[in-house]
Amino acid sequence: VRAGRFLVHGGHDRGEARPNDIAIEIEAGEAFGTGHHGTTAGCLLAIERVVKTRPVRNALDVGTGSGVLAIGIARLAHCPVLASDIDPVATRVAVQNVRLNGVAPMVEVVTAAGIEHRLFAVNGPYDLVVANILAGPLVALAPAIAQRVAPGGTVILSGLTTSQQVRVAAAYRRQGLLPAATGIIDDWVTLTFARP
C-alpha cells in the first residue's frame, strides 16, 4: 500500500520498493495496521506532511497495533518514538515489526491503558502525538493527549468515520488545540491539530 513516500508491504513484496520510498514491512497478523485501512494510510500521509513542515524531535504513538505508524515516524523523522497499546498481543507484534524494520534503537514499545504511565511523562512532552484508535477512546483521551503534546507540537487522530468527526474534533478544540488539516479516505477521517 502506498501512502505518499511510504510503502507498507509484506515480505513477498520487498522488491516493490523504489529508491525514494520509505518501505515498512508488516505481515498481516494479530495486530491492526497493515496499511490497507484508510485510517493507517491517512495517518501516514499526515505524518509525512507534518515532518516536512516542522521539526519532530520525539513522538508518541497511542494504540500502536502493528507498530506501522511508530516505524514510519522513526524512519522519516529519525527521532525517538514511544509506542503504546492496551493489548499485550499488539505490543508483542509491534516489537517484532520494530526489529524487522531496523528501528529498534529509536522505538520503545510499552503495554499500557491510556497514557498515564510514568514513562509517558518521562519521555514527553512530544512534538508529535498520533492516535489511531476508536472515536470513543479518542474523546476520552483528549485531555491527556493535549497535556502530552509540546508547545508548537502536532496531534494526528484517526479511527473515526465522517459521522464521528465533529464530536472528536470538538473534544480536542476544547483542550486548546487548533484544527490544522482533515483527510478522508473511504469515509475514514484523519484529523490534524496544532498546539499553539
Side-chain angles (χ1 to χ4, degrees), residues 21 26 32 35 74 76 103 127 144 156 160 164 170 176:
D21 284 346
I26 303 286
F32 179 81
L76 187 62
V103 292
D127 292 325
I156 298 171
L160 57 142
Q164 299 166 324

Side-chain angles (χ1 to χ4, degrees), residues 140-156:
L141 286 171
I145 287 176
Q147 184 180 34
R148 297 289 183 223
V149 66
T154 303
V155 175
I156 298 171

